């Protein structure tokens, strides 16, 4: 903590009420005092580099290279991923990995290289280690994609964790993506990006960082190939990126650079090389397959604060039904909590909540409850008393339980890095399930204070179990929300073994997709916030978190009718589609902005309902392959530089291209199309890419294009699944994959594969089966061959 946190806390005195404000200031002083006594000063430091190679010890998949002042462990795994760790760092323990580390590839061998170096040659990648400790990652053809210069450590003379720095070079034409959810992305320009999960403290725009989900994950795209680099340390740090430049006739290129500085933790790295699809598949095999949301969670969600109780929920649902607007879930914010107990439901506002939940479920609507990590402190409060008996709460370096401030007042925080605490916390969700909730939204779990502008609630000196390793909040902070999500997911699996849990979180870290998705930050209301919403979802998908989305309209202020409608149209094509009304956002239901906006909003919501089977299919494919639902235009053609620079359109799976309107007053816009034929879905017009085209973008819709030959599962007029087939180019065949899953259980629905091709003057659609082709179990509608 630094003085800026204290200044922000002082500001809160006048903004949230005197009593709550002074609690915040007091908590800030406590953190500052705890860190002053609990963290020893660094004092003098000694710098260290690896030195020259001394000896080599080959082993399975690689081996150990010993230098004069350090050693490097290197290993190629069977999934093609490369690991290296300095100073004895091993792949485990790691909060990012899903289970055990992959086995080493027995075919990869550490062998001598030129100039006294060593190398490991594998099927998909070659790794070369110089005699002074530089590590190069090369394609099978020998092209260098990444060069990590010899690292540098700064070790306190008096002992303690060492700071370290790793400089890397990439191709001159490379573009950087990733680093978690970045409002300024998805293409990360020159600048310094912090790796410390932080509540925005205010509504975030494109220039704001850090945000609640930061990860040391870089996806780097260049002409020669794509690679993902993950430096597995959860400590605070920064990444400084500088793009390279190609020589204009001189032949001298300037490499792009990345400089990673970490305050501690192991210096270890994973690298995956290949196409974007292959890289994300390897990443998912390493960190875990994305959790599969129930089918209803891929529809439209609406969030209310809950202050008005059951009547507020009934009024909201009645409004959607009255206006013929599809609705799949209602989210309740902290207003539905018992302010005294914190975790439990307020029985005065919601006396018949189970009956209400059953009533809504019969109409196809589920209830989702917000859950925060803060537990109101004080004897006689059930959750606090139970946690105290179990010694579940985070303590400071002197052994006292750390207190922070949240909306109920003074609070304490469970240590989710302890298995016993996770098991206890997971069991608490039984109360919410009994009340009829079907899903959970984790909020304020960086963790941050409700009133203090997003600064950390726990001091850096606070002690954590770290699953038996013991440490402090400097290491635990970034994985705190990840461990909370794990606790909830494992608890829900035990409480409802027959249903897929629905869980999403404001904060998280690498591997969070194993437990659910994320609400992509508190984005500022305004046109820059709309653009940031798309950047956040794209960037998170490239870090392996495919289920994400913003709050439509942002989280503060009132958007204009045009902005609200354009945000709604974007959200209807994103995985987590949530509108929000209530405290801090005013009345944001679609009917509040007039009849014209309502009509256009209804069209967006109906289109989302129509595409819901396609989103279900994308969710199953993401679980199997790690591929995000929302993809940049360069996904299938990363060598196309024009596509790498395009940030105002995206691919929705393989079949659709969505070009949202991100600026005011736009009724026509330019759209860049990848190679192949594309149909504008609203008009049926065909365009051949690669090309830039100008199309209409009236207020009632945004441009959407379908790839020629694709087969898309949609919801037909009768509510059943229908196949929408877009005519393939003559002489070429098309096709698509369909997963017909309408439930929330664990049964694995089969993959249905279809082909579409011209036979004479007709388009024939067939289902592939093990013994040839089978019949069609769903109605078919062919488009792109003339008037519908």
């Amino acid at each position: 903590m630094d003085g800026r946190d204290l200044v922000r806390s002082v500001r809160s005195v006048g903004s949230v009420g005197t009593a709550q404000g002074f609690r915040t200031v007091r908590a800030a002083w406590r953190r500052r005092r705890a860190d002053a006594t609990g963290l020893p000063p660094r004092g003098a430091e000694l710098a260290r580099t690896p030195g020259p190679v001394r000896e080599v010890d080959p082993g399975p998949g690689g081996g150990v290279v010993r230098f004069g002042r350090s050693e490097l462990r290197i290993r190629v795994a069977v999934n093609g991923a490369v690991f290296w760790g300095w100073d004895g760092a091993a792949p485990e323990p790691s909060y990012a990995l899903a289970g055990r580390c992959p086995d080493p590839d027995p075919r990869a061998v550490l062998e001598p290289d030129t100039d006294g170096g060593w190398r490991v040659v594998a099927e998909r990648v070659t790794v070369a280690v110089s005699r002074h400790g530089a590590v190069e990652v090369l394609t099978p053809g020998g092209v260098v994609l990444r060069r990590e210069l010899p690292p540098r450590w700064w070790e306190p003379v008096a002992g303690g964790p060492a700071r370290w720095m790793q400089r890397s070079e990439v191709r001159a034409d490379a573009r950087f993506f990733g680093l978690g959810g970045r409002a300024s992305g998805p293409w990360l320009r020159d600048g310094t990006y912090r790796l410390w999960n932080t509540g925005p403290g205010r509504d975030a725009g494109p220039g704001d960082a850090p945000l609640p989900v930061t990860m040391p994950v870089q996806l780097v795209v260049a002409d020669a190939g794509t690679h993902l680099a993950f430096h597995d340390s959860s400590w605070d740090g920064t990444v400084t990126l500088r793009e390279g430049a190609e020589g204009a006739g001189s032949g001298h290129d300037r490499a792009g650079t990345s400089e990673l500085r970490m305050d501690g933790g192991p210096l270890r790295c994973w690298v995956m090389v290949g196409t974007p699809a292959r890289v994300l598949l390897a990443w998912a095999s390493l960190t875990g397959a994305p959790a599969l949301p129930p089918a209803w969670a891929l529809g439209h969600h609406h969030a209310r604060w809950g202050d008005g109780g059951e009547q507020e929920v009934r009024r909201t649902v009645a409004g959607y039904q009255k206006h013929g607007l599809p609705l799949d879930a209602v989210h309740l914010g902290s207003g539905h909590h018992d302010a005294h107990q914190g975790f439990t439901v307020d029985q005065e506002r919601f006396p018949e909540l189970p009956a209400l939940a059953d009533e809504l479920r019969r109409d196809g609507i589920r209830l989702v409850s917000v859950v925060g990590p803060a537990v109101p402190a004080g004897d006689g409060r059930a959750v606090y008393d139970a946690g105290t008996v179990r010694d579940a709460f985070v303590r400071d370096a002197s052994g006292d339980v750390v207190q922070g401030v949240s909306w109920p007042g003074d609070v304490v925080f469970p240590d989710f890095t302890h298995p016993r605490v996770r098991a206890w916390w997971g069991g608490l969700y039984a109360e919410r399930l009994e009340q009829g909730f079907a899903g959970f939204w984790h909020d304020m779990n960086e963790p941050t204070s409700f009133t203090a502008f997003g600064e950390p609630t726990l001091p850096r000196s606070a002690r954590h179990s770290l699953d038996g390793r013991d440490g402090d909040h400097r290491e635990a902070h970034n994985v705190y929300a990840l461990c909370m999500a794990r606790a909830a997911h494992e608890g829900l699996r035990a409480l409802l073994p027959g249903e897929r849990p629905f869980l999403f979180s404001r904060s998280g870290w690498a591997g969070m997709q194993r437990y659910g998705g994320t609400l992509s930050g508190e984005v500022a209301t305004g046109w820059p916030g709309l653009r940031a919403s798309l950047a956040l979802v794209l960037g998170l998908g490239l870090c392996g978190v495919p289920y994400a989305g913003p709050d439509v309209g942002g989280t503060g202020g009132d958007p204009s009718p045009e902005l609200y409608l354009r945000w709604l149209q974007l959200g209807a094509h994103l995985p987590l589609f949530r509108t929000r009304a209530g405290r801090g956002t005013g009345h944001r239901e679609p009917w509040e902005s007039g009849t014209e906006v309502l009509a256009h909003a209804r069209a967006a919501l109906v289109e989302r309902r129509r595409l819901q089977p396609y989103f279900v299919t994308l969710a199953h494919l993401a679980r199997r392959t790690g591929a995000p639902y929302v993809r940049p235009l360069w996904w299938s053609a990363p060598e196309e530089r024009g596509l790498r620079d395009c940030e105002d359109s995206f691919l929705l799976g393989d079949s659709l291209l969505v070009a949202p309107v991100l600026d005011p007053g736009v009724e026509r816009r330019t759209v860049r199309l990848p190679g192949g034929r594309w149909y504008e879905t609203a008009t049926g017009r065909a365009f051949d890419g690669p090309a830039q085209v100008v199309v209409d973008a009236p207020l009632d819709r945004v441009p959407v294009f379908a790839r020629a030959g694709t087969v898309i599962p949609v919801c037909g007029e009768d509510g059943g699944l229908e196949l929408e087939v877009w005519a393939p180019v003559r002489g070429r065949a098309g096709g698509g994959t369909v997963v017909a899953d309408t439930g929330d259980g664990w049964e694995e629905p089969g993959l249905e594969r279809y082909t579409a091709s011209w036979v004479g003057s007709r388009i024939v659609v067939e289902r592939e089966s093990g013994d040839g082709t089978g019949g069609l179990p769903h109605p078919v509608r062919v488009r792109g061959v003339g008037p519908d």
Side-chain angles (χ1 to χ4, degrees), residues 74 84 153 195-196 233 285 298 352 394 398 400 450 478 526 579 668 691 702 722:
I74 189 166
W84 64 77
W153 295 267
L195 298 169
W196 186 252
S233 171
S285 72
L298 293 161
E352 303 292 339
V394 175
S398 64
D400 297 326
F450 185 79
N478 280 341
T579 51
R668 285 177 64 81
V702 295
E722 179 179 285

Side-chain angles (χ1 to χ4, degrees), residues 338-343 374-378 381 383-384 407-412:
D338 184 323
H340 180 73
Q341 296 291 345
F343 195 96
V375 174
R381 297 178 172 183
V383 178
Y384 175 80
W407 64 273
D410 291 334
V411 294
V412 293

Side-chain angles (χ1 to χ4, degrees), residues 338-531:
D338 184 323
H340 180 73
Q341 296 291 345
F343 195 96
T344 56
V345 171
D346 187 333
Q347 294 298 318
E348 293 186 5
R349 289 194 180 114
F350 294 89
E352 303 292 339
L353 188 55
L356 174 61
D358 286 341
E359 177 185 327
L360 295 179
R361 189 181 288 258
R362 287 193 293 271
D363 289 334
I365 302 170
R366 269 70 169 187
L367 284 179
V368 175
S369 173
V370 71
V371 177
V375 174
D379 295 338
R381 297 178 172 183
V383 178
Y384 175 80
D385 290 344
T388 300
V389 169
R390 292 167 174 81
D391 191 20
F393 302 123
V394 175
R395 296 179 177 272
D396 61 22
S398 64
D400 297 326
V401 173
V402 177
Q403 285 197 353
V405 176
S406 192
W407 64 273
D410 291 334
V411 294
V412 293
F413 293 88
D415 181 8
F416 296 117
T417 70
H418 197 301
R420 171 173 46 78
V421 177
R422 289 197 296 268
W424 164 68
W425 186 265
L428 295 178
Y429 289 77
E431 182 265 349
R432 300 298 174 92
L433 296 176
E434 292 170 358
Q435 293 290 331
F437 287 105
F440 300 93
W441 151 35
H442 286 180
D443 201 12
M444 308 299 295
N445 56 339
E446 291 79 13
T448 57
S449 167
F450 185 79
T451 61
F453 295 86
E455 78 264 19
T457 303
L458 294 171
R460 291 175 179 251
S461 57
R463 305 301 300 173
H464 292 267
S465 165
L466 294 170
D467 286 272
R469 292 183 292 111
D470 294 327
D472 58 41
H473 196 64
R474 292 175 296 177
E475 182 177 359
H477 176 83
N478 280 341
V479 298
Y480 187 84
L482 173 71
C483 293
M484 180 183 178
R486 177 181 175 182
H489 190 269
E490 292 175 350
L492 292 169
R493 288 290 303 269
L495 293 166
L496 286 178
E499 295 185 14
R500 302 196 295 262
F502 175 59
L503 178 68
F504 67 96
S505 173
R506 188 172 85 171
S507 185
W509 202 63
M512 65 181 296
Q513 74 278 356
R514 298 192 295 266
Y515 312 118
T518 180
L519 185 72
S520 52
E522 296 190 357
V523 181
T525 295
W527 292 94
L530 171 60
R531 189 174 292 270

Side-chain angles (χ1 to χ4, degrees), residues 102-165:
D103 293 332
D105 185 347
R107 300 169 296 176
V109 178
L110 187 63
E111 59 187 30
D113 200 1
T114 57
D115 298 326
W118 293 80
R119 66 177 182 175
V120 180
V121 179
E123 179 182 1
R124 302 174 189 168
V125 64
T126 297
V127 183
V129 181
S130 77
R131 59 193 179 96
H132 288 290
V135 180
E136 291 184 338
V137 179
L138 301 89
T139 68
V143 178
V144 177
L145 295 179
R146 187 180 191 92
R147 184 170 188 264
E148 303 249 326
L149 301 176
R152 182 181 296 270
W153 295 267
W154 287 270
E155 299 169 329
V157 174
R163 297 183 297 119
W164 53 266
M165 177 189 68

Side-chain angles (χ1 to χ4, degrees), residues 253-323:
D253 293 344
R254 186 183 77 242
T257 61
S258 165
E259 182 178 284
L260 175 62
R261 291 177 176 267
M262 301 296 286
D263 287 349
L267 203 175
R268 55 186 179 180
C269 183
W270 286 93
V271 172
M272 284 130 267
V273 174
T275 64
R278 185 181 291 275
V279 165
L280 267 294
L281 176 61
W283 179 241
S285 72
L286 185 70
T287 61
L292 186 63
W296 61 264
L298 293 161
H300 171 225
H301 304 239
H302 185 76
R304 293 289 306 183
W305 205 257
D307 293 338
E310 292 179 9
Q311 293 308 311
E312 173 188 283
V313 176
R314 292 184 186 278
R315 283 194 301 270
T316 299
V317 173
Y320 273 92
Q321 294 172 337
K322 173 185 175 182
H323 296 287

Side-chain angles (χ1 to χ4, degrees), residues 145 170-176 187 220-223 243-244 256 644:
L145 295 179
V170 298
R171 306 289 298 176
D173 65 287
R175 295 282 187 268
F176 292 100
W187 167 20
V220 185
V221 182
D223 291 353
E243 290 186 357
R644 292 208 297 259

Side-chain angles (χ1 to χ4, degrees), residues 59-82:
V64 176
V65 183
R66 295 185 176 86
F67 297 84
R69 294 178 291 275
S70 185
E71 70 176 32
L72 174 69
R73 182 194 307 271
I74 189 166
R75 182 169 73 177
V76 179
V78 290
N79 66 349
V82 179

Side-chain angles (χ1 to χ4, degrees), residues 3 45 92 135 176 232 252 353 357 393 407 419 451 513 571 598 618-619 630 681 755 779:
E45 296 177 320
E92 300 176 60
V135 180
F176 292 100
D232 191 357
H252 297 290
L353 188 55
F393 302 123
W407 64 273
T451 61
Q513 74 278 356
L598 174 61
L618 293 179
V630 172
T681 59
T755 60

